Amino acid sequence: MSEYSRSPRQPRKKGTAAGGAKGRGGPSRGGAARVGKGGKSGKGGTAGGARFAGSTKASQPTKLPERRSTPEIDVHDPEGVRLQKLMAAGGVGSRRVCENLIEQGRVEVDGQVVTELGVRINPRTQVVHVDGVRVNLDEDRVYLAFNKPKGVVTTMNDELGRISLADYVGNREERLFHVGRLDADTEGLLLLTNDGDLAHRLQHPAYGVLKTYIATIRGPVQRDVGKRLREGVELDDGPVTVDSFRIVDHQPGKAMVEVVLHEGRKHVVRRMLEAVGHPVLELVRTEVGPIRLADLKSGRTRRLNKAEIGALYKAAGL
């Protein structure tokens, strides 16, 4: 009998049958249990040798799963720039602070934890995360928040000669993308960047980046409006739901409501509110993901800081 067939939890005792139970007339000869008709054990033990409690098969040796070691990736680029220098330039902190972060194992390059201070990388092709937040290493990338005034068309080149984004940022050297659109009658927060990958993710509904709007609608607001919007409203191009809805203020004949959703269809806020019986009188977008309009004046732009850029990367899953 193999040494693995005996349960380590049930050692054989003197005067006990192979199955671990005492026979009424004393131990069976040779230490083996007596087997009656049909293979059943008789008085004095069980058949087939030792077993685990409650099992029907002899115990088998436990095979531990093989551990697969994660292959290390060489992220060092001899022609690159020192990692701590790039991190400091990216606004993470002083050079010394960045060195401490590296030594503490809190920095990743292309998904690989880096703890050596001599590592050099290419800022244009490699990605750095500190504590899970991506760091912008490319100084040529631009990230702007713009408070779009009412009446401005969301395009860099309007063939009809209407006032457009080009009248506000058209003189910049970089080619900027607008993250999503706001119709001419809607004002508020619009993000502008030359980071095409980020712009795509922020406006695509699959990535679930939330946009917040404040709408002035005809009132009074019925009690079930929020429930109907959260459950879904059928539009001509398919159903749409909001992620959040609340009443901000009541006024005679109208109300101010907050609508949060990740949809990006044309005029979607106006259409869904009209579908529940509350046409929009005024509409302002106040937030895109973690970025807020705050006190930015109409028609003005501001650069996003390093923390805001990192928060945008995180919201977009980059």
Side-chain angles (χ1 to χ4, degrees):
M1 179 182 293
S2 169
E3 62 178 347
Y4 295 107
S5 64
R6 184 179 302 159
S7 168
R9 294 179 294 176
Q10 300 182 14
R12 184 177 297 172
K13 297 181 181 179
K14 185 176 180 180
T16 304
K22 289 185 179 181
R24 293 182 181 176
S28 61
R29 297 178 181 178
R34 291 178 297 180
V35 180
K37 293 182 180 181
K40 295 182 180 179
S41 60
K43 297 177 181 179
T46 57
R51 299 173 182 170
F52 286 113
S55 69
T56 57
K57 296 182 180 179
S59 61
Q60 297 295 326
T62 302
K63 184 177 180 182
L64 296 177
E66 297 180 359
R67 292 184 178 181
R68 296 182 179 180
S69 57
T70 304
E72 293 188 1
I73 303 174
D74 185 8
V75 297
H76 179 69
D77 184 350
E79 304 298 325
V81 183
R82 285 188 179 274
L83 177 57
Q84 57 265 41
K85 181 179 179 180
L86 288 172
M87 290 170 56
V92 176
S94 67
R95 190 81 61 91
R96 183 55 187 162
V97 168
C98 294
E99 290 175 350
N100 290 336
L101 291 172
I102 294 173
E103 292 176 333
Q104 293 167 8
R106 296 164 62 182
V107 180
E108 293 182 1
V109 178
D110 294 342
Q112 184 75 35
V113 176
V114 175
T115 57
E116 298 180 6
L117 299 181
V119 172
R120 294 174 177 268
I121 67 169
N122 186 333
R124 293 186 178 275
T125 60
Q126 294 180 278
V127 177
V128 174
H129 287 82
V130 177
D131 292 335
V133 178
R134 182 168 169 174
V135 180
N136 176 37
L137 303 177
D138 191 346
E139 296 181 356
D140 293 333
R141 287 182 175 175
V142 177
Y143 304 87
L144 301 176
F146 174 56
N147 188 348
K148 188 190 86 67
K150 188 175 182 179
V152 175
V153 181
T154 308
T155 180
M156 290 295 182
N157 183 20
D158 184 60
E159 297 178 351
L160 301 178
R162 294 172 294 182
I163 300 176
S164 67
L165 299 179
D167 294 286
Y168 293 88
V169 295
N171 59 346
R172 300 185 66 92
E173 296 180 0
E174 310 89 359
R175 182 192 175 192
L176 298 177
F177 304 96
H178 46 84
V179 179
R181 291 178 178 272
L182 293 176
D183 61 66
D185 292 330
T186 301
E187 55 187 308
L189 181 60
L190 190 66
L191 299 183
L192 304 170
T193 180
N194 57 354
D195 188 337
D197 191 17
L198 178 63
H200 167 71
R201 284 177 173 246
L202 289 176
Q203 61 187 321
H204 199 291
Y207 295 97
V209 180
L210 299 178
K211 289 86 175 176
T212 303
Y213 298 81
I214 297 295
T216 302
I217 60 177
R218 295 193 183 280
V221 181
Q222 301 173 3
R223 291 185 177 181
D224 65 339
V225 167
K227 180 180 179 182
R228 292 171 61 188
L229 291 173
R230 284 187 289 268
E231 291 178 347
V233 177
E234 189 68 35
L235 302 180
D236 54 3
D237 54 354
V240 61
T241 61
V242 303
D243 293 88
S244 175
F245 175 87
R246 69 183 182 94
I247 300 174
V248 177
D249 189 23
H250 280 290
Q251 298 177 12
K254 58 184 179 180
M256 186 178 294
V257 299
E258 179 189 78
V259 179
V260 181
L261 73 170
H262 60 272
E263 283 277 1
R265 280 182 265 174
K266 186 176 182 180
H267 305 310
V268 63
V269 177
R270 294 179 181 274
R271 289 190 293 144
M272 68 190 310
L273 287 174
E274 185 172 3
V276 294
H278 297 281
V280 173
L281 304 176
E282 296 180 2
L283 186 62
V284 180
R285 183 158 69 189
T286 58
E287 299 178 30
V288 175
I291 310 303
R292 297 182 177 182
L293 183 63
D295 57 355
L296 183 63
K297 295 182 179 181
S298 180
R300 302 294 295 273
T301 62
R302 69 171 180 86
R303 282 183 173 270
L304 301 185
N305 59 43
K306 303 298 182 182
E308 289 176 317
I309 296 171
L312 275 179
Y313 278 131
K314 187 174 183 179
L318 290 172

